[in-house]
Amino acid sequence: MREQGSEQKALSAAELFDGMGIEYERAFGHLPAQLEAIEWLTGRLAAGARVLDVGSGTGRPVADLLVRSGCDVTGIDVSRTMVELARAQVPGARFEQCGVHDFEAPEGGFDAVCAFFPLLVMSRTEVSAALLRMAGWLAPGGYLVTATVPADVDDVEIEWMGRRVRVSSFSAEEYVRQIREECGLDVLHHAVSVFQPDDAQAGPEDHVFCYARRAEELPGG
């Protein structure tokens, strides 16, 4: 992420991804650590498992791979363009234009929640609240598989893929700590990797991936 100064208005998350569309999939659709995470998750889910894909984008690769593995998939995204693309590309899943703070999980929750990079274009308070909400949507024994760009930044304006946005994030250590201590999940794996998007306007990015699980039963349950 590169800080930038300009009078041009920063885009909201919906505006950013409405304007980006399929360009995002071309740049980030073959991220090795993400593909490994999905393979790890699907290897632990039973057929028909209920999975929520937060920030589902174009539906590829995450929702598509989950559907192919036999999961019952719901995707949510703030971008109307992304939802339309996902519905066309992955007809076996359900997609809803909705943000993480507005979504209401169905009764019983989900066997897994995937959240690959949907929390960056918001404030730190919103990031922490989103992690808590997603953890709360997990059924007992359910998995949260997530990734973000680790950085010690709060509401910083940057240029990303030729567009101006305001972003917030945490260090890798703090991100994992919140999942473990604030969300109360068992962290099974976390790692930082570097990825070079297939886009001339985007430089290499650090990514932190975290696999976590809710206990089979809550204390006293």
Side-chain angles (χ1 to χ4, degrees), residues 160-199:
W160 181 70
M161 292 184 69
R163 297 160 174 88
R164 298 189 54 72
V165 294
R166 301 193 71 86
V167 300
S168 302
S169 190
F170 297 100
S171 67
E173 295 78 11
E174 174 61 16
Y175 187 74
V176 173
R177 186 200 68 80
Q178 288 197 29
I179 291 172
R180 178 187 293 114
E181 298 182 14
E182 306 300 332
C183 299
L185 302 182
D186 295 326
V187 173
L188 308 177
H189 167 81
H190 62 91
V192 175
S193 57
V194 180
F195 177 69
Q196 173 61 60
D198 294 335
D199 186 290

Side-chain angles (χ1 to χ4, degrees), residues 1 117 120 147-151 153 160 168-171 205-208:
M1 295 189 293
F117 310 103
L120 290 162
T148 193
V149 178
V153 295
W160 181 70
S168 302
S169 190
F170 297 100
S171 67
E205 294 184 352
D206 285 346
H207 293 161
V208 57

Side-chain angles (χ1 to χ4, degrees), residues 99-119:
V100 67
H101 299 291
D102 301 316
F103 180 73
E104 295 296 333
E107 185 175 354
F110 294 93
D111 299 302
V113 174
C114 294
F116 297 111
F117 310 103
L119 309 182

